[in-house]
Amino acid sequence: MNPRTLLITGANGEIGHGLVSRLAELNGDRMIALDLHTPDPLIRERCHRVVAGDIADIALLDTLAATYDFAAVYHLAALLSTKSERQPRLANRVNVDGTLNLLEMAVAQARQQERPIKFLYPSSIAVYGLPDLETKRRTGKVREDAWCEPRTMYGINKLYCERLGRYYECYYRQLDAQVLPGLLDFRALRFPGLISAATVPTGGTSDYAPEMLHAAAAGKRYACFVREDTRIPFMAMPDAVQALLDLEAAPREQLTRKVYNVGSFNPSASEVAERVRQAFPEAQVHFEPDAKRQVIVDSWPVDVDDSAARADWNWQPAYDLDRAFEEYLIPAVTKRYRRHA
Ligand code: NAD
Ligand code: AKB
């Protein structure tokens, strides 16, 4: 069988690192990596081609589309929530206009190749917006269609792009004389905060958990910017990558939704600190909440109801909280910082 060609935007980011490494282990897919910043050597050696460029650059996307027949697009490039809140117009340009450019490119490719193109879109728990802590606690796990009232630019961008994906798959150019349905096969996951042992996040608001862990492993003090009782869902990076691959591989007829919640574990910030202190007894973690970032995290749910993903495509995380820390995060970050010492 000929290798498939995949376009991965934002390949130099946290998920990009995990996804490119996993795909390289798995099969012979040809990966074309696109990122604003020149992807690092680890990405370069695993990809067929790496391109340093902007997803806002339509001429660049046209050139890529003229050169390759993509079977799937993993569209990871984005500005995350804290960065987006600081530069909302730029966020809209990257997160919305950039996504629109990729959707246009994918539909044009599907027409040219006369087959649907899969479009994998990592959305976020930031699409939810609980109005206050009491409602957040009372609500517990949120279902996909509840509380979609985001209060951040990033959350609004993500929710809109989920809907753009549905539009491009189901209603694209619906007034044309000849409507061509099913050109795009859009599939989105609403990820919780992700924790990777290999990379340190930047620009997100769930970053306190991975930052705490990496700081402790590196022997640095850490001031956690949320309260001890803050609780949102998290996931270990290998599970996030697996979720993307499993959703991509799922037979289309089994999917009852375009957008799925996926969850794993949901420790409070003090429970994360406890795990970190158990592994690194010298860790210097203290809590110094930033009132404004706190409001954002407080508007995100305590957990997600991912029963649709479990029923439709057998989603099941490999890592619960214990396994994530004991078998993945602690051993891998210890090794990482020992190597860097
Ligand atoms: P990241 O910030 O680590 O990576 C994003 C990458 O996109 C970066 O390498 C950046 O250089 C690139 N990028 C930014 N603007 C670009 C542009 N204009 N053109 C080309 N590339 C550009 O983020 P990540 O954690 O890898 O997240 C990937 C995706 O997953 C994002 O869409 C994010 O919203 C989503 N997501 C992440 C998390 C998480 O906790 N990490 C949770 C939910 C959803
Ligand atoms: C962020 O904090 O912005 C991301 C996310 C939860 O989408 N990590």
Side-chain angles (χ1 to χ4, degrees):
M1 212 168 72
N2 285 338
R4 301 181 318 152
T5 305
L6 309 177
L7 175 62
I8 304 177
T9 73
N12 203 41
E14 286 212 281
I15 301 184
H17 274 80
L19 180 66
V20 167
S21 304
R22 187 73 186 122
L23 280 168
E25 282 164 11
L26 281 180
N27 55 38
D29 285 341
R30 290 200 311 176
M31 292 180 268
I32 311 300
L34 169 63
D35 199 290
L36 204 52
H37 305 292
T38 306
D40 68 30
L42 197 132
I43 304 289
R44 283 208 297 273
E45 70 199 26
R46 288 168 168 80
C47 289
H48 177 73
R49 184 171 162 205
V50 297
V51 180
D54 192 333
I55 54 169
D57 182 349
I58 294 174
L60 170 64
L61 298 183
D62 286 348
T63 305
L64 289 175
T67 313
Y68 302 104
D69 283 341
F70 296 116
V73 176
Y74 283 84
H75 174 40
L76 312 179
L79 295 192
L80 277 70
S81 54
T82 294
K83 225 180 239 176
S84 292
E85 215 49 43
R86 298 209 161 110
Q87 290 178 283
R89 287 184 68 136
L90 177 63
N92 202 68
R93 193 179 74 86
V94 175
N95 296 348
V96 174
D97 297 346
T99 301
L100 196 71
N101 294 342
L102 266 305
L103 287 167
E104 281 284 340
M105 190 216 73
V107 169
Q109 278 247 317
R111 283 198 167 169
Q112 201 181 299
Q113 295 182 44
E114 297 183 341
R115 60 170 181 168
I117 305 277
K118 287 182 182 165
F119 195 101
L120 276 294
Y121 182 67
S123 187
S124 164
I125 52 162
V127 302
Y128 298 113
L130 284 304
D132 52 64
L133 272 178
E134 175 44 32
T135 312
K136 170 169 166 153
R137 288 194 191 109
R138 196 168 7 95
T139 302
K141 292 185 174 196
V142 290
R143 299 178 69 100
E144 285 88 347
D145 299 323
W147 298 109
C148 288
E149 300 288 342
R151 59 177 298 152
T152 60
M153 189 62 175
Y154 172 73
I156 291 164
N157 292 165
K158 286 287 178 192
L159 189 59
Y160 178 62
C161 287
E162 291 176 359
R163 289 173 182 178
L164 274 181
R166 168 184 295 276
Y167 169 78
Y168 271 78
E169 175 166 340
C170 304
Y171 310 114
Y172 181 64
R173 300 190 66 110
Q174 56 193 305
L175 297 182
D176 282 4
Q178 200 199 352
V179 179
L180 301 171
L183 287 172
L184 196 77
D185 182 351
F186 179 83
R187 304 174 179 205
L189 287 171
R190 286 188 188 152
F191 280 130
L194 303 180
I195 316 184
S196 170
T199 49
V200 187
T202 49
T205 318
S206 65
D207 292 1
Y208 59 90
E211 280 176 357
M212 203 186 283
L213 172 71
H214 283 265
K220 294 186 182 149
R221 294 166 65 86
Y222 185 68
C224 180
F225 60 80
V226 297
R227 287 186 319 267
E228 285 100 315
D229 67 340
T230 305
R231 195 181 290 280
I232 58 166
F234 283 99
M235 181 179 290
M237 188 57 83
D239 273 334
V241 168
Q242 199 54 49
L244 278 169
L245 298 178
D246 288 350
L247 181 59
E248 201 230 294
R252 198 174 184 177
E253 60 281 5
Q254 272 176 224
L255 303 180
T256 58
R257 315 183 53 87
K258 307 250 168 277
V259 179
Y260 288 91
N261 280 340
V262 279
S264 297
F265 46 84
N266 68 334
S268 66
S270 66
E271 285 161 1
V272 175
E274 235 168 79
R275 298 266 164 179
V276 166
R277 288 191 188 108
Q278 270 165 21
F280 303 101
E282 310 290 302
Q284 295 184 59
V285 180
H286 68 283
F287 288 82
E288 223 174 273
D290 170 327
K292 291 181 177 161
R293 291 180 94 188
Q294 182 73 55
V295 170
I296 291 178
V297 188
D298 284 345
S299 76
W300 294 349
V302 289
D303 206 353
V304 290
D305 177 337
D306 59 2
S307 49
R310 289 175 189 261
D312 288 3
W313 46 279
N314 269 333
W315 158 246
Q316 203 168 7
Y319 293 95
D320 60 13
L321 182 64
D322 288 339
R323 252 199 102 199
F325 274 83
E326 288 162 20
E327 295 180 32
Y328 165 58
L329 294 169
I330 301 296
V333 289
T334 305
K335 201 160 141 201
R336 181 179 197 267
Y337 289 94
R338 202 180 290 138
R339 210 174 43 234
H340 290 175

